[in-house]
Amino acid sequence: MTSESVKVLLIGNNKTDFVTIRRWLVEQSTPPYQLTWSQTLSDGMSVIKANRFDVLLFDLSIAVGQSQRMIRQLWDDMVGAPIIIICPPDSEMVAVEALGKGVHDYVLQTVMDKDRLVRSINFAIVKQQLKEARKRNAHLEQQLELARLQEEFISLLANEVWLPLLGARLVLEHLLEGSLGEVNQQQKVAIGQLNKGNEELLSLTQEMLDVYTYDQSRSATAFKEVDLREMLSTCVDDVMPATKYRGIKIVADFPPVIPKVLGDASGLKRVFTNLLENAVKASPNKEEVQLRVASSGHEVKIFVTDKGRDIADEDQARLFKRFWNGESGRRYISKAGMHLYMCQRIVDLHKGSLTCSSKPTIGTTFIVTLPTL
């Protein structure tokens, strides 16, 4: 039992019972009690809606002549608080039936005394606490079970999907190169289609594993001082191989001084590498992808711009949603719809923002805003 005040509501029209119960509860100093009295069922229901009570004492005599609908409404409104019925001897069977509908206890009016009433109140409160504890434990067990299923799914994804896809990639590449024997042109086309489908599945699986891995490790991530100029230069170097066959240039425009940020360098590197890769994929051949940095006040903004097809306004609002990959024929949203979602999660972790601006003939710009040291 708690040492805090126990708030009790008595619904009943017998003033003698009210005076007696008030005296009993006042005399019971541990824990202290606060008693509120409502003389009608409708008044009691109004009081319940406006206040929180630890226990409801309900005089069954007041229910005589009341509709079953009002009684049911009373039980619904009192969900979460224990109910004790005070009943005359000739209504005991009604009280017993009420126990099966959620009422915690009942006391007979003719034999009710201080000890019985206080014991019943204490019993009802403890019973309610146990009920709530069981609900919390059930919720915790459900969460643990979901976590276990998630672990099993990721294990299955990694071992039963990702690894075989990697093996298939090697075999298909060898077939296309002819190192496993000569294949004719028709066979090369079929193998090429298989290889393309395999790469898409491999990319999708890798995205899901990347998001899961980052979600699992981010709570233990130690933020350190990050040199944005050095990190962004590394991102450009990593993406350059994807540009050489299409004549795409990545133009970096850095100010003389770029303020440093506090963050997870590997996470931020993943963000800007993803944005640059997406920009390269979206760009027409022989176009430029621009990477620009600007700082103002206590924040720094990084802009990644391409001249590819614009993103519709309705799509911009959904770009960063998990598993959303846009409509057929739209731009470069990843197959699983996870990369931009993960970028958003990483930027949010750094208390920054990731936004998109896209206009026809002008281009598309992703803007990452981060607080500076």
Side-chain angles (χ1 to χ4, degrees), residues 7-24:
K7 296 180 180 179
V8 180
L9 173 64
L10 169 63
I11 300 179
N13 55 11
N14 190 320
K15 185 175 182 180
T16 301
D17 281 352
F18 165 65
V19 173
T20 303
I21 292 172
R22 182 178 60 181
R23 175 170 54 81
W24 288 343

Side-chain angles (χ1 to χ4, degrees), residues 304-318:
V304 179
T305 303
D306 65 72
K307 298 293 185 180
R309 181 178 176 180
D310 64 291
I311 304 174
D313 290 342
E314 62 270 23
D315 286 352
Q316 291 182 40
R318 296 175 287 179

Side-chain angles (χ1 to χ4, degrees), residues 257-271:
V257 178
I258 300 178
K260 294 183 178 181
V261 300
L262 189 67
D264 169 27
S266 63
L268 290 175
K269 183 174 182 292
R270 182 174 295 183
V271 170

Side-chain angles (χ1 to χ4, degrees), residues 1-6 29-32:
M1 287 294 297
T2 177
S3 60
E4 297 179 358
S5 177
V6 176
S29 58
T30 306

Side-chain angles (χ1 to χ4, degrees), residues 41 45 66-76:
L41 182 57
M45 293 173 67
Q66 299 288 348
S67 69
Q68 289 297 312
R69 183 188 62 80
M70 288 193 68
I71 300 298
R72 283 196 300 271
Q73 183 64 46
L74 176 68
W75 301 152
D76 292 341

